[in-house]
Amino acid sequence: MPASTQPDVMDKLVSLSKRRGFIFQSSEIYGGTGSVWDYGPLGVELKKNMKDQWWKAMVRMRDDVEGLDAAILMHPRTWEASGHVAGFTDPLIDCKTCKGRFRADKLQDARCPQKPSKKPGEAEQCQLTEPRMFNLMFKTFMGPVEENASTVYLRPETAQGIFVNFLNVQQSSRQKVPFGIAQIGKAFRNEITPGNFIFRTREFEQMEMQFFVEPGTDMEWFEFWKAERMKWHEQLGLSPGRLNYHQHEGTELAHYARAAFDIEFDFGGTLGFQEIEGIHNRGDFDLSRHQEYSGKKLEYYDAPNNKRYTPYVIETSVGADRVTLAALVNAYREETVEGEEEGRVVLGLHPSLAPIKAAVFALTKKEGMPDMAHRIASDLRAHFPVDYDETGSIGKRYRRQDEVGTPFCITVDPESVKDGTVTVRDRDTLKQERISADAVRGYLSERLPG
Ligand code: GAP
C-alpha cells in the first residue's frame, strides 16, 4: 500500500459536517452511540446523490442488471450457509491494564488509549489477554420469546439477499446468464475497532452487485468489472492519483474468493490508502452453499445449449458511507482568494453529488430584489435542489455556499430588476457571467449532469 502524500483533513470535516448539517453523531444528546452517525439535511442529499449515481450506472444504464431490495432480517440458516455464523469473526485482545480492546491481526497498527500512547503490549505494566474469536454479527430475536430457536441476525452484508433471490429475479425478469442483480441497503457489523468518522461504523449502507456468469468466463468478467468500477469512481471526481488497486493474495483472500481486488482511496494523514470497494470472483461458493443448506436447486438452465450449471459470481461491493467520506475528503480544500484577506473553504464536489445545485441571492432586501430572487428560486426548485439566502454580506453568502459545495450562485441586483438579467457565479473558477433570468434554468441544466 503506497504511503499517503495527502494532508489529514478528517478533524476539519467532522467539524464542518456538524456545523453545516452533513453528519451528526447518533444520539448526541445522550453522549453519542459508539461509531454510529446520522445524516443531516445536506448529508442526506449528498449520500442520496451518491446512491442515485451508483443505481443509475449499475441498474438504469444497463439492460443486463436488475434491481432488488431484500429484507434486512433473513432466515437464520442463510448465515450458516454463507459461512458467517462459523467464520465471520475477528480475533479480539483485551488489555487488562488500560482496558483497550484490539484486533489481534491489526495489533501492529493499534495504539494504547493511555497517554503517552504506545503500541499495545509495549508498556511494562501492559497485560494482554490471549486472542478470543468474536463474531461480528448483531444477534436479536424474532417474536416474543428470547430463545435460540428464534435467533435472527442483522445482515452483515447485502449480498446474501441477492443469492437467495437469484432464481426469483432471473425467472421473473427473464434474464439470461450473464446478468447481474444489484441492491443498496443497510448492513450491520459489531466492529471491534470502528472509527475514523464514517469510515468504519457499526451500521452502514452497502451498494452491491452480483454478476452471474458461466464458469470459465468468470475471469474475463472479473477484469471487466474491475475496470468499470474504477471508471465510476473517477467519473464522480475522485482524483486518479488518490485511487489504487490492491490485490488480495494468500491468507488475505476470503474463504469464498477465487480472486479479489480492492479499489483503495488515499484518505490522507495516518489513514492513507484504504479499501473503498471490493471486486471479488466468488465462484459458485454462495449458490452451491445455499443449494446445500436449503435443499432447493439454484441452477441455471441454458436452453439453447441444453445444459444446466451453477453460475459463478463476480461481486462488486462498495460502502455508500465510505465512498461518501472519500468524496468529502477528496473535495475539501482551503484557498486564498485574490484581493481578499480571508481565505475560503471549498468542497469541490462533483456537481452530480453536490447537495445544493444552486443558491439564489437578493443583493439587498430592497427595490423588488427579494421578489425577483424568490421567483427564480421557486422556478428552479422544481428541477434542482436550490437554496435561497438574503442574509449577510454577499461575500459571506458565497463562502457559505462554497463550504457546502454549491456549484452555482445566482445573484439578483438592482440592474436585474431593471433589465431582467442576473449574475451566475461558478464555485471553482469564481467567474461571474451576466445572463437573462429566463435563461438560468437552461444554463444550469447544461452544466449539471443528471
Ligand atoms: N459482500 C462483500 C462484502 O461485504 P466487504 O469488503 O466486507 O465485502 C464491502 O465490504 C465494502 O463495504 C467495503 O469496501 C466498505 O466500503 C464497506 N464496509 C465494510 N465494512 C464497513 C464498515 N464497518 N463501515 C463502513 N463501511 C464498511
Side-chain angles (χ1 to χ4, degrees), residues 88 156-159 189 191 194 198-206 208 210 256 262-263 275-278 280 282 315 317-323:
F88 194 51
E157 62 171 12
T158 58
R189 295 183 190 178
E191 299 277 4
I198 53 169
F199 176 80
R200 180 170 287 110
T201 54
R202 294 192 165 109
E203 173 177 343
F204 56 98
E205 263 181 298
Q206 285 187 317
E208 296 199 299
Q210 320 296 133
Y256 54 73
D262 291 339
I263 294 178
E275 169 189 347
I276 51 173
E277 171 151 7
H280 310 123
R282 299 179 70 123
E315 168 183 75
S317 175
V318 54
D321 311 83
R322 197 173 287 181
V323 75

Side-chain angles (χ1 to χ4, degrees), residues 358 360 376-384 386 410 440-441 444:
V360 185
I376 294 172
S378 67
D379 169 46
L380 292 178
R381 221 164 250 137
H383 309 274
F384 318 99
V386 165
I410 296 140
V440 171
R441 198 207 305 172
L444 294 181

Side-chain angles (χ1 to χ4, degrees), residues 337-371:
V337 183
E338 217 184 293
E340 287 185 28
E341 249 175 55
E342 254 182 69
R344 66 170 188 154
V345 169
V346 191
L347 276 190
L349 290 168
H350 190 273
S352 64
L353 298 180
I356 302 168
K357 306 298 182 200
V360 185
F361 306 149
L363 188 62
T364 67
K365 291 182 195 162
K366 290 185 253 167
E367 297 162 28
M369 284 180 259
D371 282 349

Side-chain angles (χ1 to χ4, degrees), residues 48-88:
K48 184 174 179 305
N49 291 341
M50 186 63 89
K51 291 188 284 185
D52 287 349
Q53 288 301 319
W54 186 86
W55 194 259
K56 187 174 153 203
M58 301 298 280
V59 183
R60 291 267 157 79
M61 302 294 284
R62 303 193 61 95
D63 59 10
D64 57 357
V65 180
E66 302 288 339
L68 178 75
D69 184 8
I72 288 171
L73 300 177
M74 299 182 69
H75 193 288
R77 291 277 284 168
T78 307
W79 306 110
E80 289 171 32
S82 69
H84 283 83
V85 171
F88 194 51

Side-chain angles (χ1 to χ4, degrees), residues 9-256:
V9 297
M10 205 64 88
D11 287 346
K12 288 175 177 171
L13 274 176
V14 174
S15 135
L16 186 153
S17 292
K18 178 171 158 78
R19 189 161 37 80
R20 299 306 312 274
F22 280 96
I23 299 161
F24 311 123
Q25 199 181 7
S26 162
S27 330
E28 194 189 62
I29 59 167
Y30 289 104
T33 321
S35 291
V36 186
W37 298 86
D38 297 340
Y39 288 77
L42 295 185
V44 70
E45 291 283 346
L46 170 63
K47 189 163 129 182
K48 184 174 179 305
N49 291 341
M50 186 63 89
K51 291 188 284 185
D52 287 349
Q53 288 301 319
W54 186 86
W55 194 259
K56 187 174 153 203
M58 301 298 280
V59 183
R60 291 267 157 79
M61 302 294 284
R62 303 193 61 95
D63 59 10
D64 57 357
V65 180
E66 302 288 339
L68 178 75
D69 184 8
I72 288 171
L73 300 177
M74 299 182 69
H75 193 288
R77 291 277 284 168
T78 307
W79 306 110
E80 289 171 32
S82 69
H84 283 83
V85 171
F88 194 51
T89 49
D90 275 343
L92 170 75
I93 285 183
D94 283 308
C95 176
K96 289 186 185 158
T97 321
C98 72
K99 308 289 175 223
R101 184 156 269 190
F102 313 101
R103 268 176 64 171
D105 55 336
K106 299 269 160 122
L107 214 54
Q108 278 309 311
D109 309 326
R111 305 296 299 180
C112 167
Q114 268 186 346
K115 301 282 174 242
S117 182
K118 295 200 163 133
K119 284 209 171 108
E122 228 172 52
E124 250 175 43
Q125 68 278 24
C126 257
Q127 278 191 70
L128 298 182
T129 62
E130 286 299 310
R132 287 182 290 136
M133 291 316 270
F134 173 78
N135 196 296
L136 302 187
M137 282 198 294
F138 281 97
K139 247 188 215 176
T140 185
F141 300 96
M142 191 171 261
V145 191
E146 290 195 14
E147 58 175 38
N148 265 354
S150 61
T151 299
V152 288
Y153 300 95
L154 301 187
R155 67 180 174 199
E157 62 171 12
T158 58
Q160 300 304 325
I162 293 181
F163 294 126
V164 300
N165 277 298
F166 162 63
L167 279 186
N168 282 337
V169 174
Q170 189 266 320
Q171 288 165 358
S172 59
S173 63
R174 297 189 295 126
Q175 282 283 0
K176 295 191 172 41
V177 168
F179 81 99
I181 306 177
Q183 77 167 325
I184 300 177
K186 289 266 186 179
F188 303 82
R189 295 183 190 178
N190 202 358
E191 299 277 4
I192 298 171
T193 49
N196 286 307
F197 197 23
I198 53 169
F199 176 80
R200 180 170 287 110
T201 54
R202 294 192 165 109
E203 173 177 343
F204 56 98
E205 263 181 298
Q206 285 187 317
M207 307 191 282
E208 296 199 299
M209 194 272 311
Q210 320 296 133
F211 203 74
F212 300 90
V213 304
E214 184 174 352
T217 64
D218 47 313
M219 282 316 287
E220 219 174 288
W221 280 108
F222 180 75
E223 291 302 329
F224 171 83
W225 282 111
K226 203 179 120 196
E228 269 309 278
R229 295 303 306 147
M230 182 62 98
K231 255 190 266 164
W232 184 80
H233 289 288
E234 288 175 357
Q235 276 162 5
L236 282 185
L238 292 188
S239 314
R242 296 182 83 146
L243 288 165
N244 196 39
Y245 284 119
H246 167 75
Q247 183 172 10
H248 285 217
E249 283 169 309
T251 53
E252 227 186 331
L253 214 53
H255 60 280
Y256 54 73

Side-chain angles (χ1 to χ4, degrees), residues 382-395:
H383 309 274
F384 318 99
V386 165
D387 193 23
Y388 176 85
D389 191 0
E390 58 177 29
T391 54
S393 73
I394 194 78

